[in-house]
Amino acid sequence: MEREGNSEKTLRRSKTKKGSNTIPLAGGAALLTLAVSLVITAINSRRNSKRKDLPGCNFRVNLSASEILKLADRIIAKSKEVNDAVASIPLDKVTYKNVISPLAELEAQQFPLVQSCVVPKLVSTSDKVRKASAEAEKKIDAHISSCSKREDVYRVVKAFAAKGEWMGPDARHYVNCLMRDFERNGLNLTTTKREEIQRLRAQIDEISFQYVQNLNDDSSSVLFHENELAGLPAEFLKTLEKAENGMFKVTLKSHHVLPVLELCKIGNTRRLVAMAYGNRCGKDNISVLEDLVQARHKFARLLGYSNYAEYALSLRMAMTPSKVLEFLEDISSSLSDLANKELATLKELKKQEEGELPFGVEDLLYYVKKVEQQEFDLDLGALKQYFPVNLVLSGIFKISQDLFGLRFEEIADAEAWHSDVRVFSVFDLSSGELLGYFYLDMYTREGKYGQTCVVALQNGSAALNGARQVPMALLISQLQKDIDGISNLLRFSEVVSLLHEFGHVVQHLCNRASFARFSGLRVDPDFVEIPAKVLENWCYESFSLKLISGFHQDITKPIKDEICKSLKRWRYSCSALKLKQEVLYCLFDQIIHSAENVDIVELFKDLHPKVMLGLPMLEGTNPASCFPRCAIGYEAACYSRIWSEVFAADIFISKFRDGLLDHHVGMQFRTKVLAPGGAKDPVEILSDFLGREPSIQAFVDNKIECIISFLSCHHLTQLALAADLGKKR
Ligand SMILES: *[C@@H]1O[C@H](CO)[C@@H](O)[C@H](O)[C@H]1NC(C)=O
Ligand SMILES: *[C@@H]1O[C@H](CO)[C@@H](O)[C@H](O)[C@H]1NC(C)=O
Ligand SMILES: *[C@@H]1O[C@H](CO)[C@@H](O)[C@H](O)[C@H]1NC(C)=O
Ligand SMILES: CC(=O)N[C@H]1CO[C@H](CO)[C@@H](O)[C@@H]1O
Ligand SMILES: [Zn+2]
């Protein structure tokens, strides 16, 4: 859940300014018009039989198991042929045309075919097809990995780069990326060193896998009597296993731990559970992390970097470990005052409920929840009634039409892998140009991939044999299909996540980079989440929330203003404190990956009170032994989530907050931020759009403004003030 947004004052301003001319009808009614036009398009084209080919599309839909395996073999054979041909060019005959073009074209042409083989693993309804797809993926991955280690191809590309032939900026960037990828595999090193690199990489994979495996295998639990679990709902207790002595067994899996920490009234129970949870895999496993970090540093040093973080960050917007540390420390210190106020409130609540007991980290979730229960009359269950899925969708289409000039038109006869899947053509609103395609696979079903995400099926790229390949995106989400199928209702969190993912779709469709490599979502990983996070903000402004909502039995009735306001306050509740806790983990991750011989147990003990306003680490716990993000997937990059949130807030507040449907700003965003894709430096992109360098200030100021306004209109302020006074006395 994201935690920034903006003030009510500017919200009202934007509403009067934009509300009257852009949306002539009230929320639901306007959308109804749009929804109807979508339905009509759908009906008109349903007469034809299934259309297999969409113009400009090389992605193959719904292949059978044997077709997938055959295609995978063809892909590999073709790739080998092209790589061999490039490798055979004499070093004194290298040109752009015989070295770079063939490689770029191969990538662009093969990507949609590769996706035709591997996407069925995620979405096919047939077990056999999913198996074939997984097998094809394995083969293709192994082949791609072997290509990235081809010294003969590297030598030719290097010879071309050294020649200094004139190229446009995109092509130059592309060549640099090719070289860099080879070199990150150690291809410019001696054979001994290169072998050492391969060995270390395998070792790193193995150790990180072991760390996570240990956590998954952990089956410890803590036993409690019923009275020790006071506060937890009866339905929850029913799900717990019982030991022979009749006590309840709380496992250390998050679906047990979280409810206890949030709801259990007995402080000692929360403490015991938090301790056991923070001590999973014990002290022993600390050594696994130590080995892992050491292997990573060794790996990075062989490649010429002074530590692992430097290696990992060299491809990211943040660039250097010192920049990341500075960023995290800035955020943390800017939010200290605010977090202190929040903490004072929580401490006061604890005093009222439990008397003079010290407040510990194990109390955080419980009292945060308490604040939320006391302060927001938000019934998230009832809120669902305002979010019928089709209305939400047409609202989202409406927003992207008004803002970014995109028109979505459903193709009812397009072939897909399941009858629930909807396919849309996307056009530029003013020129009518076909921009790409969008597949929407919304509902959960047996065998379908279990995460919400966007997958690139095909990336845009400049004229291959004359025709531009258009981008195609697939959005996979996990909504429950209502059996009656009349009006599927979404939870608010699902609405936010849908808009977020839709941000990725828009980003993919608007990307105009000429190389397929830069035109997908494979842009800088510190940048890739920014557009999606910008778009989430539309869920927290009354004006735009009304566009994507309407009472399910009468969609002309939009959501009430008070509810919109509550949602926004809810977004900010205790958010400074929560963010500081995240900063703590990010700092830990960055420090162990950017310095040698750090005592990882001491480091956590030392950082904890510093970042968490004096709260000590819970005794006996070892957060370093159960922090999987720093072991696999996000090593040296945990900060990236906060990073993209902060710069997304900068963009939203500086450019969109006062004009939620400002077409001019939306188009600027489309052409300046989305269109260049991965072909341009993200800092340059954002600076160009913002008219200055991106900064953390807007994020910090907005947070302060929102939290203060929240605190000042509630009785909690009195609590906080009382606590402040108490401190002074
Ligand atoms: C190999 O390439 C890396 C990355 O481009 C570079 O930093 C390093 O100096 C190169 N090493 C050699 C021996 O050329
Ligand atoms: C997908 O292909 C299979 C045959 O391989 C066919 O039976 C099925 O109807 C197709 N699915 C859709 C949704 O078109
Ligand atoms: C296309 O985009 C996807 C998703 O971002 C990326 O994984 C893929 O590598 C890109 N294709 C090419 C040819 O680089
Ligand atoms: C290497 C090592 O000490 N591994 C331990 C990590 O934690 C798990 C679960 O507590 C143990 O089973 C491993 O032996
Ligand atoms: Zn995302």
Side-chain angles (χ1 to χ4, degrees):
M1 180 77 13
E2 295 319 310
R3 303 258 160 212
E4 77 281 11
N6 51 45
S7 77
E8 302 300 331
K9 201 169 60 211
T10 41
L11 181 70
R12 268 196 304 276
R13 203 161 55 211
S14 72
K15 194 173 164 186
T16 39
K17 199 170 80 189
K18 290 286 149 200
S20 51
N21 50 18
T22 325
I23 304 275
L25 303 170
L31 295 174
L32 190 57
T33 344
L34 194 76
V36 167
S37 76
L38 283 175
V39 173
I40 292 173
T41 330
I43 293 170
N44 279 343
S45 41
R46 204 175 280 279
R47 287 186 215 107
N48 312 321
S49 60
K50 291 267 182 217
R51 194 162 38 169
K52 285 225 173 199
D53 302 318
L54 304 173
C57 157
N58 297 316
F59 175 79
R60 311 222 180 127
V61 180
N62 197 26
L63 297 180
S64 70
S66 64
E67 284 170 324
I68 287 175
L69 293 171
K70 260 189 247 152
L71 180 57
D73 288 339
R74 276 219 308 282
I75 290 170
I76 292 171
K78 170 80 182 169
S79 160
K80 200 166 167 312
E81 185 190 310
V82 173
N83 276 285
D84 288 347
V86 169
S88 73
I89 311 281
L91 297 187
D92 57 346
K93 297 254 162 32
V94 292
T95 62
Y96 187 84
K97 219 171 152 199
N98 65 18
V99 177
I100 307 302
S101 289
L103 292 175
E105 272 178 29
L106 179 75
E107 248 188 354
Q109 277 166 343
Q110 292 213 309
F111 181 71
L113 301 179
V114 170
Q115 295 305 78
S116 315
C117 294
V118 306
V119 168
K121 184 181 98 173
L122 308 177
V123 295
S124 173
T125 51
S126 146
D127 217 14
K128 202 170 144 210
V129 169
R130 289 199 303 271
K131 275 205 188 103
S133 173
E135 190 185 328
E137 183 176 36
K138 235 179 173 167
K139 273 192 191 171
I140 293 173
D141 280 354
H143 170 75
I144 291 176
S145 155
S146 75
C147 287
S148 69
K149 293 182 191 131
R150 282 187 68 155
E151 199 186 355
D152 52 357
V153 179
Y154 169 63
R155 225 180 309 128
V156 172
V157 174
K158 191 175 182 176
F160 172 78
K163 205 176 131 199
E165 185 175 312
W166 185 89
M167 286 175 279
D170 285 10
R172 202 164 47 233
H173 185 47
Y174 182 70
V175 173
N176 289 339
C177 286
L178 283 180
M179 293 279 289
R180 186 198 66 203
D181 289 354
F182 281 124
E183 285 167 4
R184 282 171 86 87
N185 275 325
L187 287 190
N188 61 345
L189 303 178
T190 60
T191 319
T192 359
K193 281 193 175 169
R194 197 186 314 158
E195 277 163 6
E196 176 70 359
I197 291 211
Q198 314 291 0
R199 198 188 59 75
L200 278 169
R201 176 169 283 169
Q203 190 189 352
I204 289 168
D205 287 350
E206 198 189 306
I207 309 177
S208 54
F209 178 75
Q210 195 201 335
Y211 183 96
V212 175
Q213 187 73 15
N214 283 341
L215 283 174
N216 288 343
D217 289 350
D218 177 86
S219 59
S220 38
S221 56
V222 197
L223 298 179
F224 294 103
H225 289 292
E226 186 161 356
N227 60 356
E228 292 171 313
L229 294 172
L232 285 154
E235 311 92 76
F236 175 77
L237 295 184
K238 261 190 240 150
T239 67
L240 298 180
E241 246 184 81
K242 281 200 176 174
E244 293 102 61
N245 56 8
M247 287 170 90
F248 288 92
K249 207 181 216 177
V250 173
T251 71
L252 300 182
K253 302 291 172 203
S254 55
H255 67 285
H256 282 172
V257 172
L258 204 60
V260 172
L261 293 183
E262 281 189 335
L263 299 171
C264 183
K265 288 186 172 161
I266 313 297
N268 196 45
T269 303
R270 295 196 303 270
R271 190 176 167 79
L272 289 174
V273 168
M275 273 167 69
Y277 188 67
N279 196 21
R280 278 167 307 152
C281 294
K283 212 167 187 163
D284 291 345
N285 255 6
I286 296 277
S287 67
V288 177
L289 186 59
E290 278 166 357
D291 292 348
L292 178 59
V293 170
Q294 250 168 40
R296 282 184 177 143
H297 284 315
K298 218 168 174 184
F299 173 84
R301 272 201 312 272
L302 274 170
L303 286 172
Y305 297 89
S306 46
N307 55 58
Y308 187 80
E310 204 179 82
Y311 161 81
L313 292 170
S314 66
L315 296 189
R316 289 174 168 264
M317 191 176 160
M319 305 269 284
T320 63
S322 57
K323 196 104 175 265
V324 171
L325 292 172
E326 186 192 316
F327 169 80
L328 291 170
E329 275 154 14
D330 272 3
I331 293 282
S332 181
S333 61
S334 324
L335 294 178
S336 283
D337 280 353
L338 215 50
N340 256 319
K341 288 205 174 69
E342 291 170 351
L343 184 60
T345 307
L346 301 183
K347 283 181 170 168
E348 189 56 30
L349 281 175
K350 170 149 177 163
K351 198 159 138 195
Q352 287 177 359
E353 186 163 321
E354 298 181 71
E356 295 289 344
L357 289 169
F359 189 94
V361 268
E362 70 277 17
D363 295 319
L364 275 176
L365 288 176
Y366 179 76
Y367 287 103
V368 166
K369 185 89 184 171
K370 196 117 260 179
V371 169
E372 290 177 359
Q373 280 168 347
Q374 289 186 356
E375 295 304 311
F376 315 118
D377 42 356
L378 256 185
D379 180 351
L380 289 173
L383 203 53
K384 265 182 97 154
Q385 307 194 49
Y386 285 91
F387 299 116
V389 66
N390 281 330
L391 187 61
V392 173
L393 262 185
S394 32
I396 293 178
F397 287 147
K398 164 90 181 140
I399 289 173
S400 54
Q401 175 167 322
D402 287 359
L403 210 47
F404 306 122
L406 303 175
R407 186 164 62 82
F408 287 78
E409 193 175 288
E410 183 155 13
I411 317 170
D413 58 348
E415 190 175 18
W417 44 91
H418 189 277
S419 55
D420 283 347
V421 178
R422 299 170 69 180
V423 187
F424 299 86
S425 305
V426 187
F427 299 95
D428 177 68
L429 188 62
S430 59
S431 70
E433 182 198 1
L434 174 72
L435 294 177
Y437 300 99
F438 164 46
Y439 282 68
L440 181 60
D441 188 347
M442 281 194 289
Y443 301 108
T444 53
R445 59 174 181 268
E446 172 107 23
K448 181 175 145 177
Y449 181 62
Q451 305 281 327
T452 294
C453 62
V454 170
V455 181
L457 300 178
Q458 176 169 299
N459 300 352
S461 66
L464 283 170
N465 319 320
R468 185 179 162 86
Q469 190 168 262
V470 298
M472 296 174 75
L474 160 63
L475 195 165
I476 300 178
S477 64
Q478 309 295 332
L479 308 179
Q480 291 300 326
K481 194 171 182 183
D482 166 6
I483 313 292
D484 307 332
I486 304 166
S487 58
N488 288 294
L489 302 176
L490 304 188
R491 281 178 287 156
F492 181 67
S493 59
E494 290 171 331
V495 174
V496 178
S497 130
L498 200 58
L499 202 60
H500 174 102
E501 298 305 330
F502 200 78
H504 288 307
V505 171
V506 168
Q507 179 182 12
H508 186 60
L509 290 167
C510 294
N511 190 330
R512 304 289 285 177
S514 39
F515 288 85
R517 156 91 60 128
F518 307 131
S519 71
L521 297 167
R522 186 166 142 187
V523 296
D524 184 315
D526 282 345
F527 179 74
V528 69
E529 290 298 324
I530 292 180
K533 280 182 189 275
V534 169
L535 219 53
E536 280 178 27
N537 287 288
W538 273 254
C539 295
Y540 294 94
E541 303 296 327
S542 314
F543 171 66
S544 46
L545 192 56
K546 285 180 183 173
L547 293 177
I548 49 178
S549 63
F551 190 61
H552 69 122
Q553 282 161 339
D554 173 7
I555 63 167
T556 56
K557 255 201 233 157
I559 203 158
K560 293 193 190 72
D561 277 324
E562 303 87 82
I563 299 182
C564 298
K565 282 187 195 146
S566 285
L567 280 170
K568 196 153 152 189
R569 288 213 316 272
W570 175 64
R571 188 187 196 194
Y572 286 103
S573 83
C574 297
S575 66
L577 211 44
K578 288 175 190 164
L579 195 62
K580 274 196 153 266
Q581 202 169 24
E582 194 176 341
V583 166
L584 168 69
Y585 280 80
C586 296
L587 278 172
F588 173 81
D589 165 59
Q590 198 58 217
I591 293 171
I592 61 170
H593 286 113
S594 61
E596 297 270 346
N597 302 320
V598 176
D599 181 335
I600 60 181
V601 175
E602 283 307 311
L603 177 63
F604 238 120
K605 273 195 197 139
D606 178 51
L607 281 176
H608 202 289
K610 279 189 192 150
V611 181
M612 292 306 290
L613 311 162
L615 289 181
M617 204 168 88
L618 189 55
E619 85 193 55
T621 58
N622 265 316
S625 74
C626 43
F627 178 21
R629 284 165 65 88
C630 87
I632 195 162
Y634 296 90
E635 61 276 8
C638 288
Y639 74 90
S640 189
R641 204 201 68 81
I642 303 180
W643 180 277
S644 42
E645 183 171 329
V646 166
F647 296 117
D650 190 11
I651 292 175
F652 178 72
I653 295 160
S654 323
K655 290 289 193 174
F656 288 109
R657 186 168 65 180
D658 297 341
L660 291 165
L661 288 182
D662 188 327
H663 184 62
H664 177 69
V665 180
M667 287 307 284
Q668 293 249 311
F669 187 72
R670 182 176 148 191
T671 51
K672 290 189 171 176
V673 179
L674 302 179
K680 210 168 143 189
D681 171 39
V683 176
E684 223 174 279
I685 289 182
L686 293 186
S687 307
D688 183 25
F689 177 64
L690 292 167
R692 56 162 168 79
E693 292 223 339
S695 122
I696 72 167
Q697 210 49 49
F699 171 81
V700 169
D701 290 348
N702 177 61
K703 205 159 220 114
I704 293 177
E705 195 181 316
C706 288
I707 299 177
I708 297 287
S709 80
F710 155 57
L711 286 172
S712 65
C713 59
H714 290 84
H715 80 268
L716 284 176
T717 328
Q718 273 83 55
L719 289 179
L721 285 177
D724 259 1
L725 289 175
K727 226 173 21 194
K728 286 198 188 94
R729 249 185 267 135

